[in-house]
Amino acid sequence: MAVEFFYPEYEIVRNFDRCIACRVCERQCANEAHEYRSEDKKMAADDAKCVSCHRCVSFCPTRALKIVKTDHTFRENANWDGKSIKEIYKQAESGGVLLSSMGNPEKYPVYFDRILLNASQVTNPSIDPLREPMETRVFLGAKPENIERDENGRIKNNMPPQIMLSMPVMFSAMSYGSISYNAHESLAKAATELGILYNTGEGGLHENLYRYGKNTIVQVASGRFGVHKKYLSGAAAIEIKMGQGAKPGIGGHLPGTKIMGEISKTRMIPEGTDAISPAPHHDIYSIEDLRQLVYSLKEATGYTKPVIVKVAAVHNVSAIASGIARSGADIIAIDGFRGGTGAAPTRIRDHVGIPIELALASVDKRLREEGIRNRVSIVAGGSIRSGADVVKAIALGADCVYIGTAALVALGCRLCRSCHTGRCNWGIATQREDLVKRLNSDWGCKRLVNLLTAWKHEIMEMMGGMGINSIESLKGNRLMLRGVGLNEKELEILGIKHAGE
Amino acid sequence: MREGMFRNVSGCAISGIISKSGKRFSGQTIVDSVAVMHERSNGLGGGFSAYGIYPEYKDYYAFHIFYDHKTAKRDCEEFLEEHFEIINLSKIPTRKVPQITDEPLIWRYFLTPLPTKLADSQLDEREYTVRCVIRINTTVSGAHVFSSGKNMGVFKAMGYPEDVGRFYRLEEYEGYCFTAHGRYPTNTPGWWGGAHPFALLDYSTVHNGEISSYDANRRTIEMYGYKCTLQTDTEVITYIIDYLHRKKGLTLKEICSVIAAPFWSDIERKPQEDREELEYLRNAFSPLLITGPFSIIVGFEGGLMALNDRLKLRSMVVAEKGDTVYVASEEAAIRVIENNPDKIWHPKGGEGVIITLEKGNP
């Protein structure tokens, strides 16, 4: 074999005692890893084509299949690991930038896993959410600076536009194009049923989905795809995407092969053209330009909708957030470096940006130091994996979290990180009609509703344990957190004490 | 270790009495009331606030200050002279009580802001005074202003409340309203400043409970220029009330709807106008919602407010006899001073009882 061949990372293991050669695996695999050999009436597999998405494993009626990590290996080398070597082979062959999908999978610290929660006892009773009200409703948006009263002394309603959520979780931006129509519809339906919001991402909004407008955040990003008056006014809120945690500093690229039919129409670009979102907005080269876009969008919608500005968590994120808070934005969304994506240059995904926990803690602290924390709400995203992560993020100072990857996993995603190939066997990150059909949006909606209902129960249990019966009393309540195995500097940035203190 | 260096949670006894007509009565009554609840304290803190006790100086801020040492007194007086006209100063009269030991220097000053300084600061008189109090408490080592209102005063110490009352000769003061506190802290406060009531200007708070929202409340209120040096619930509650009442102009009833806000499910059942207002208040001031058990009595110039947490996780009883209103952690603490009240009731969680003096009093 030639130098560019390497033994596959994962092997398809088939138990021939169980295999009945029904060929389900073959039909389910868009990567064509399985094949029926008519000569001996047996199934065969090409491990090299397998992405470990488990579609075949899930559908095998006799449980004859499993995917295992190969034991084939390079000579051990703590510096030159197999991944580094293989990437060199690939680039020596192609001369190109390596592409990857989903969030940063590398071994950086996950601070959420180094933070523990409190519970009350003796001096303060815990509260049983099954017996007592336990409130998770949140409002996002700027709060009024001053109380105004009418001639009768009643408080005037001078509240800027708000988003009301039944729980502090929203689905983060994933465009129609990067994910399928059915995945989009699943999110829209679930958001509506749950009383939360989902986000269109930069791909416009399919005309069938306008009916979910009250639960929709529409995104305006650097490519401005699909942005028009009806798009803006049909939504509950508008998000300006300045950056994304998975690929800070760069834009996006949906290849022309995916810009067909409905997607081309929704994005408002000709079929077959590449949809390129530039790295910066070419009308925003500084903070004062951002302010102009914020107010342009507010003017366009009559000051009736909150404007969110989404940024990637990078080194100076707290200074940026402080600038955004003074630019008329109602909500700041911060996306940590583990946030997912349909496609990103591997080096960017794995080496740019900072963890959401640190970014969130420092932004919340900075806005408080400057006395402007109530001017904006904070939404934290970039790998929120469970109800516990939600509680920790809120206690660090977030008003709400965004989930993207977790929502896709609920729809079947196995994190095989091959979205950029467009052959998602689960019907999520693909536009191939036969694959998209595999995801039914009613079924998808149900799974998302189940997931967040479960999380909500968990959140309420944890809050009750802490003696807190309303989510607003958890927000920024860092005394409820303790670090384990963190150094002084990390604790200082997170603004928490060490366990035992 | 002393209070302020660690978070100290406490169980407690509280009591309050107010004459709506503004009739002044001796401080002995409140001492008798709180003494009944001896078992609710553990001797690590007791105190009183008394309103209407300085009629002859009613236009001046009465600062009660603890000094750890003479240097603190010198430094603090230097600061006071720079910022205020000192109308009168004296030691606060005490009597020796075997149960009360290690007392700091305890001084009282009647002050009025220096007009030129006040004009230069571009602040109103009350804000100017608040800032001076916070400055002293955070920067003058060994000095602690524990009372700073007009025509009112706080008296507190380490010990059981009834002993603290005797120590400060409370029976010699006459006021129209008193509140009392007996403390059961889980840690030794280490100094007298940690005892309650906690006061700022004429707002004084006595509190029983441990609030679970503490750090959310603290981090919010510190954004508005307050500094929580004691790390106690009472301190943060006092600041919240001062902020909402004095700075934001909310009424006491509205304040109750912020700090012990009704549940959303209750708000939704209200008539539209009330619903909108309650939703507005909860949303606008959401980080100032207080959760976890508490019963508080807030004294202020011309009135008193008693409030329980939303779930009523602490006991609190209110009674009325003639023009006098009584509030206490236990009914016994009311019966001992008024055995035959006209009316006695347990206010619901989140339902503020607000008593103000009848017009023209005192």
Side-chain angles (χ1 to χ4, degrees):
Chain A
M1 275 292 177
V3 67
E4 71 269 22
F5 176 80
F6 6 86
Y7 194 88
E9 231 176 311
Y10 295 92
E11 294 170 15
I12 302 167
V13 178
R14 188 185 311 271
N15 181 338
F16 282 100
D17 290 342
R18 292 185 180 180
C19 179
I20 54 173
C22 67
R23 300 175 72 172
V24 162
C25 47
E26 184 189 12
R27 286 192 296 280
Q28 290 296 326
C29 185
N31 299 307
E32 298 172 356
H34 299 276
E35 189 191 352
Y36 179 69
R37 286 197 314 235
S38 46
E39 56 269 33
D40 57 358
K41 295 199 171 81
K42 274 189 170 173
M43 297 304 299
D46 182 356
D47 298 338
K49 290 179 178 163
C50 176
V51 295
S52 188
C53 79
H54 294 187
R55 182 81 185 179
C56 57
V57 175
S58 304
F59 276 76
C60 178
T62 60
R63 301 209 168 84
L65 288 169
K66 65 176 176 180
I67 312 295
V68 298
K69 199 169 189 304
T70 182
D71 52 7
H72 168 81
T73 184
F74 291 95
R75 275 188 85 105
E76 279 194 19
N77 187 323
N79 182 32
W80 284 101
D81 59 5
K83 180 170 169 278
S84 309
I85 297 169
K86 271 192 246 171
E87 286 175 349
I88 286 189
Y89 288 145
K90 280 188 198 165
Q91 292 192 302
E93 176 71 16
S94 69
V97 167
L98 297 168
L99 272 189
S100 306
S101 308
M102 298 313 286
N104 187 336
E106 299 300 318
K107 277 186 187 160
Y108 294 99
V110 180
Y111 286 97
F112 283 132
D113 295 341
R114 295 277 174 275
I115 296 175
L116 295 171
L117 296 168
N118 193 30
S120 17
Q121 56 187 345
V122 183
T123 54
N124 183 352
S126 47
I127 302 168
D128 181 352
L130 297 176
R131 297 162 62 106
E132 303 285 351
M134 190 59 66
E135 302 183 310
T136 56
R137 180 185 297 184
V138 288
F139 288 89
L140 304 184
K143 306 304 175 213
E145 293 288 320
N146 287 304
I147 296 288
E148 296 168 25
R149 291 181 188 270
D150 64 15
E151 56 280 6
N152 303 320
R154 279 194 86 95
I155 295 174
K156 280 200 223 166
N157 188 354
N158 59 353
M159 184 70 71
Q162 305 281 307
I163 298 172
M164 188 178 97
L165 304 169
S166 66
M167 65 185 290
V169 180
M170 301 191 289
F171 298 127
S172 57
M174 289 175 280
S175 72
Y176 171 43
S178 75
I179 58 171
S180 66
Y181 176 86
N182 287 0
H184 234 223
E185 193 173 39
S186 303
L187 293 166
K189 283 181 180 172
T192 304
E193 197 172 324
L194 288 160
I196 61 166
L197 269 56
Y198 86 108
N199 188 318
T200 62
E202 187 186 27
L205 180 59
H206 192 280
E207 56 187 3
N208 293 353
L209 303 183
Y210 273 85
R211 61 192 139 140
Y212 303 109
K214 277 186 192 152
N215 297 82
T216 306
I217 297 168
V218 292
Q219 202 181 61
V220 174
S222 61
R224 303 287 150 87
F225 298 122
V227 177
H228 50 90
K229 178 90 172 44
K230 191 179 157 208
Y231 173 76
L232 297 175
S233 51
I238 302 167
E239 178 171 278
I240 300 172
K241 176 194 168 183
M242 297 303 301
Q244 183 178 348
K247 39 182 172 177
I250 65 162
H253 179 188
L254 194 69
T257 49
K258 289 191 182 177
I259 313 288
M260 287 295 162
E262 294 295 301
I263 290 177
S264 131
K265 201 168 135 196
T266 308
R267 295 209 172 204
M268 297 158 50
I269 50 172
E271 291 198 341
T273 50
D274 286 2
I276 293 178
S277 304
H281 287 244
H282 282 307
D283 53 358
I284 303 179
Y285 280 19
S286 182
I287 186 80
E288 62 271 23
D289 300 337
L290 173 66
R291 185 181 171 86
Q292 288 194 5
L293 180 59
V294 169
Y295 279 98
S296 303
L297 294 170
K298 288 190 171 191
E299 284 287 340
T301 50
Y303 293 84
T304 56
K305 296 174 200 308
V307 171
I308 306 168
V309 174
K310 176 179 176 175
V311 291
V314 290
H315 304 350
N316 63 341
V317 67
S318 48
I320 291 170
S322 162
I324 293 170
R326 295 169 202 277
S327 302
D330 301 275
I331 300 163
I332 301 175
I334 314 165
D335 198 15
F337 81 147
R338 286 187 187 277
T341 176
T346 310
R347 298 291 174 247
I348 302 273
R349 185 195 68 175
D350 295 354
H351 298 278
V352 182
I354 62 170
I356 185 59
E357 301 92 322
L358 302 178
L360 166 62
S362 98
V363 167
D364 178 65
K365 177 162 172 263
R366 175 69 68 91
L367 295 181
R368 283 171 194 269
E369 279 168 359
E370 299 194 13
I372 53 176
R373 178 65 183 85
N374 58 344
R375 276 206 215 166
V376 281
S377 297
I378 299 176
V379 183
S383 211
I384 301 290
R385 303 156 301 170
S386 69
D389 286 357
V390 177
V391 170
K392 290 170 189 178
I394 304 288
L396 280 174
D399 290 86
C400 174
V401 302
Y402 260 148
I403 60 164
T405 302
L408 298 189
V409 171
L411 295 178
C413 168
R414 293 299 202 266
L415 284 179
C416 72
R417 309 198 296 264
S418 312
C419 320
H420 55 288
T421 65
R423 290 191 298 269
C424 176
N425 277 321
W426 295 94
I428 302 166
T430 179
Q431 302 306 327
R432 246 176 67 177
E433 213 170 312
D434 59 320
L435 300 178
V436 173
K437 248 182 8 197
R438 294 177 177 182
L439 178 64
N440 174 298
S441 68
D442 286 331
W443 176 88
C445 165
K446 182 75 194 150
R447 310 237 340 142
L448 291 165
V449 170
N450 283 349
L451 176 74
L452 288 190
T453 304
W455 282 21
K456 191 171 170 181
H457 282 302
E458 292 175 337
I459 292 167
M460 295 197 308
E461 290 277 359
M462 285 181 272
M463 281 168 55
M466 290 184 258
I468 289 174
N469 59 7
S470 185
I471 196 90
E472 54 252 54
S473 294
L474 178 65
K475 187 177 86 184
N477 196 337
R478 297 189 186 172
L479 213 51
M480 292 296 161
L481 304 175
R482 288 291 187 275
V484 271
L486 297 176
N487 66 36
E488 289 276 353
K489 194 69 190 173
E490 291 168 319
L491 293 168
E492 181 196 318
I493 294 166
L494 291 166
I496 62 174
K497 292 180 174 178
H498 201 275
E501 273 189 283
Chain B
M1 290 284 275
R2 75 184 224 166
E3 193 111 44
M5 297 163 76
F6 57 90
R7 179 150 155 74
N8 203 356
V9 301
S10 315
C12 303
I14 59 174
S15 182
I17 310 169
I18 181 167
S19 157
K20 286 197 275 187
S21 64
K23 194 179 69 202
R24 293 168 69 211
F25 54 94
S26 157
Q28 187 59 46
T29 323
I30 192 79
V31 178
D32 293 343
S33 166
V34 76
V36 173
M37 299 184 284
H38 184 86
E39 287 297 311
R40 296 183 75 94
S41 334
N42 64 359
L44 291 176
F48 302 86
S49 63
Y51 290 81
I53 54 170
Y54 300 135
E56 62 275 27
Y57 290 106
K58 66 181 169 46
D59 296 325
Y60 304 105
Y61 293 96
F63 277 27
H64 294 187
I65 307 182
F66 290 140
Y67 296 121
D68 289 351
H69 40 71
K70 282 195 177 146
T71 324
K73 179 165 177 284
R74 192 194 63 209
D75 295 348
C76 183
E77 286 182 350
E78 197 177 301
F79 179 90
L80 291 175
E81 274 167 14
E82 269 174 35
H83 295 82
F84 296 91
E85 192 182 328
I86 301 177
I87 307 298
N88 193 345
L89 79 168
S90 63
K91 269 189 173 172
I92 292 184
T94 55
R95 71 160 64 89
K96 285 286 169 195
V97 175
Q99 292 87 346
I100 306 282
T101 53
D102 295 331
E103 71 251 43
L105 306 168
I106 312 168
W107 281 74
R108 172 164 59 205
Y109 303 80
F110 291 101
L111 307 166
T112 192
L114 283 176
T116 47
K117 276 273 184 183
L118 179 62
D120 281 354
S121 72
Q122 302 191 40
L123 300 170
D124 71 43
E125 191 188 285
R126 282 159 68 82
E127 180 65 17
Y128 176 90
T129 306
V130 166
R131 293 204 189 175
C132 288
V133 171
I134 293 175
R135 270 275 288 285
I136 294 170
N137 289 352
T138 51
T139 62
V140 181
S141 164
H144 180 70
V145 182
F146 63 97
S147 187
S148 52
K150 284 181 179 173
N151 199 13
M152 62 81 69
V154 167
F155 304 88
K156 61 187 185 180
M158 287 274 273
Y160 283 99
E162 59 272 26
D163 299 329
V164 175
R166 281 200 296 140
F167 173 80
Y168 279 108
R169 299 157 65 163
L170 211 67
E171 73 280 3
E172 294 173 8
Y173 293 88
E174 283 197 338
Y176 63 83
C177 171
F178 290 89
T179 67
H181 188 259
R183 193 175 186 206
Y184 198 134
T186 49
N187 291 281
T188 306
W191 68 305
W192 289 26
H196 303 177
F198 187 84
L200 187 68
L201 295 176
D202 58 305
Y203 303 101
S204 72
T205 309
V206 289
H207 156 260
N208 170 21
E210 180 196 340
I211 59 177
S212 52
S213 56
Y214 176 78
D215 216 30
N217 301 144
R218 176 190 69 82
R219 296 182 70 230
T220 303
I221 206 70
E222 288 197 341
M223 200 163 90
Y224 305 118
Y226 299 88
K227 190 88 194 84
C228 296
T229 51
L230 293 176
Q231 299 198 40
T232 62
D233 297 344
T234 317
E235 179 188 42
V236 80
I237 293 172
T238 307
Y239 291 156
I240 289 173
I241 290 169
D242 175 63
Y243 171 73
L244 292 174
H245 197 234
R246 187 171 59 85
K247 289 195 173 170
K248 289 284 148 182
L250 293 191
T251 64
L252 291 164
K253 188 165 170 285
E254 288 162 351
I255 291 174
C256 294
S257 303
V258 169
I259 64 178
F263 290 102
W264 290 117
S265 52
D266 292 333
I267 290 177
E268 270 150 23
R269 284 197 292 270
K270 303 266 185 201
Q272 189 189 348
E273 215 171 74
D274 293 352
R275 190 173 67 226
E276 283 173 6
E277 183 174 306
L278 288 167
E279 180 178 311
Y280 176 92
L281 288 170
R282 257 199 96 164
N283 184 5
F285 300 105
S286 65
L288 299 179
L289 173 74
I290 300 173
T291 58
F294 69 85
S295 57
I296 55 172
I297 304 174
V298 179
F300 52 91
E301 195 177 352
L304 164 157
M305 175 176 86
L307 180 69
N308 260 138
D309 65 88
R310 338 199 271 158
L311 291 177
K312 199 169 173 82
L313 295 169
R314 284 290 184 271
S315 56
M316 193 175 73
V317 190
V318 183
E320 235 180 80
K321 174 77 178 183
D323 78 338
T324 308
V325 179
Y326 305 85
V327 186
S329 300
E330 292 179 15
E331 193 175 326
I334 296 174
R335 295 272 180 199
V336 70
I337 48 174
E338 177 49 67
N339 195 27
N340 193 22
D342 301 333
K343 199 174 141 193
I344 189 155
W345 76 98
H346 298 76
K348 284 188 200 145
E351 182 188 297
V353 176
I354 300 158
I355 312 294
T356 49
L357 295 183
E358 288 148 6
K359 278 219 168 74
N361 292 312

